[in-house]
Amino acid sequence: MEWHRALMVQLGGLYGLWLREVKRAFRDRGQLIGGVSRPILWVLILGIGLNPYFRGEVYGAVTFVVPFTYLQFIFPAVIALNIMFTSVQSAVSVIWDREFGFLREVLVSPLSRTTILLAKVLGGTTVAVLHGCLVLILARFADIPLTPVDVLRALGLMALLAFALTSLGVVIANRIGSFQGFGVFSNAVILPLYFTSSSIFPLDPALSRAQTRVVYPDWLVTIIEWNPLTYAVDALRGALINYNQFDPWMGITVIVTACVVLFSIALYDFHRM
């Protein structure tokens, strides 16, 4: 049947373009080295180095700001960081393919633009999840006991986060004309998103919302609450260390919404090319 043949063409093209994205990423040694060195730097140096400052002493008893060591608290955020860098940077292939004519050739093929974009996003998602797993391997070192259910929950959240961030990278790549501009602009997006997502310091869970706005600058609390990555990191903490600063349902809701919205924007830009 015609529809069956057309579907097989789309699926075959989807697989071929996905495989190309994955192979190209694994041939990039710089990206692989960054995926390994980044979590080691954050977990070994930042996590251990700041651990003593993450606790206080009350009447001779040592207590932590949250019921975890700093290494445990920051561990899910390091996974998110590795996924962020890998996802957004993988979208540079859009600029590469556009500059060297490959994208133009693919766009005139029988493949739909939705299939082409989905293949690129899924390729970046796959590589980003694998880079996230490089951090997950260090869980025992961070004294985080994981069950198979915890790992599966974390992998699902990692995949959704990677899909959303890869779509964001494609949106940036579609609107930036050069490799240099993409690198500068993507870092200008990644770092503020990460540092204002309650990733490296917690909002004190003992305080009410009104008290939080008194203890912390009001503008900072507002940015944290409006930052979608805040809820993604919080969802990963819930899956890995069973700790949430916000209602658990908010994390998955925000991530899924980000996937739909960012992919839709990327698809809209793709259809305009």
Side-chain angles (χ1 to χ4, degrees), residues 186-204:
S186 60
N187 282 326
V189 171
I190 291 175
L191 295 179
L193 272 176
Y194 184 72
F195 285 111
T196 58
S197 64
S198 191
S199 56
I200 58 177
F201 64 89
L203 296 177
D204 193 336

Side-chain angles (χ1 to χ4, degrees), residues 80 83 87 156-166 229 232 236 255 259:
I83 290 175
S87 298
L157 291 168
M158 289 159 60
L160 288 172
L161 177 61
F163 187 92
L165 291 171
T166 305
L229 191 62
L236 280 172
I255 298 175
C259 287

Side-chain angles (χ1 to χ4, degrees), residues 14 17 20-21 24 90-98 102-109 111-121 166-167 169-175 261-273:
L14 178 70
L17 291 175
R20 177 177 179 269
E21 294 294 318
R24 178 161 57 184
S90 68
V92 76
S93 66
V94 174
I95 299 177
W96 181 275
D97 291 343
R98 189 172 60 209
F102 178 80
L103 186 59
R104 183 170 59 252
E105 294 176 3
V106 175
L107 289 176
V108 297
S109 70
L111 299 178
S112 69
R113 300 200 175 200
T114 303
T115 300
I116 296 169
L117 176 62
L118 184 60
K120 283 191 166 294
V121 173
T166 305
S167 299
V170 173
V171 171
I172 297 173
N174 283 335
R175 302 180 183 211
V261 172
L262 291 171
F263 185 80
S264 298
I265 296 173
L267 186 59
Y268 173 76
D269 289 343
F270 229 62
H271 278 289
R272 294 180 60 192
M273 293 177 63

Side-chain angles (χ1 to χ4, degrees), residues 16-95:
L17 291 175
W18 168 84
L19 186 62
R20 177 177 179 269
E21 294 294 318
V22 173
K23 284 185 174 180
R24 178 161 57 184
F26 280 108
R27 288 170 183 166
D28 187 350
R29 292 186 179 180
Q31 191 178 47
L32 183 60
I33 292 173
V36 174
S37 63
R38 193 180 304 114
I40 291 177
L41 174 67
W42 279 75
V43 172
L44 291 183
I45 298 179
L46 189 65
I48 294 177
L50 292 180
N51 199 56
Y53 301 97
F54 201 61
R55 60 185 183 180
E57 188 170 330
V58 181
Y59 300 113
V62 175
T63 59
F64 288 90
V65 177
V66 293
F68 302 96
T69 66
Y70 189 64
L71 188 56
Q72 292 170 328
F73 178 80
I74 201 176
F75 186 80
V78 177
I79 294 178
L81 179 67
N82 231 27
I83 290 175
M84 282 186 72
F85 270 98
T86 306
S87 298
V88 176
Q89 291 301 322
S90 68
V92 76
S93 66
V94 174
I95 299 177

